Amino acid sequence: MQPYRLFRITAIAEAFSWTGLLIGMYLKHVAETTDAGVWLFGRLHGALFIAYLVATLWVARAERWSLVRTVVALAASVPPLTTLLVERWLSRRRPAPVTETV
């Protein structure tokens, strides 16, 4: 799998897991109905958080990102849903793929 494709997939998945975790926290702490959402999405989000960090470091090295771009992408993993915004920002600044003409 190409590094940027994996980065994109993990960025989107990490954002969805954040959403599930936020809903789970609402159900546990506000509605006080169940803690199943926190149990499930907490574990899922933890795994996807680590996967996103690894994918970010991999694509940063493979595509020779600047230190600023790499730090911004890594920092995006902390606030909820920010990985979506950063992935979109990075995709707009990504050079077009080179196609071979034979």
Side-chain angles (χ1 to χ4, degrees):
M1 182 174 282
Q2 296 174 349
Y4 192 82
R5 182 172 167 82
L6 180 65
F7 169 76
R8 185 174 191 171
I9 290 168
T10 57
I12 293 167
E14 197 268 350
F16 277 107
S17 71
W18 247 125
T19 304
L21 184 57
L22 291 171
I23 292 169
M25 288 189 302
Y26 171 82
L27 291 174
K28 181 178 180 178
H29 298 290
V30 177
E32 296 180 356
T33 56
T34 182
D35 64 348
V38 172
W39 182 87
L40 174 65
F41 285 104
R43 286 160 174 73
L44 183 62
H45 177 68
L48 288 170
F49 174 80
I50 299 298
Y52 174 81
L53 295 177
V54 170
T56 300
L57 293 173
W58 185 28
V59 75
R61 182 171 179 168
E63 295 196 3
R64 300 176 189 215
W65 284 358
S66 68
L67 181 61
V68 171
R69 185 177 285 202
T70 304
V71 168
V72 168
L74 290 171
S77 64
V78 178
L81 309 176
T82 310
T83 56
L84 292 176
L85 299 173
V86 169
E87 189 282 321
R88 181 156 225 147
W89 174 71
L90 290 170
S91 69
R92 290 183 182 158
R93 281 153 183 77
R94 190 168 185 239
V98 178
T99 58
E100 289 186 28
T101 310
V102 179

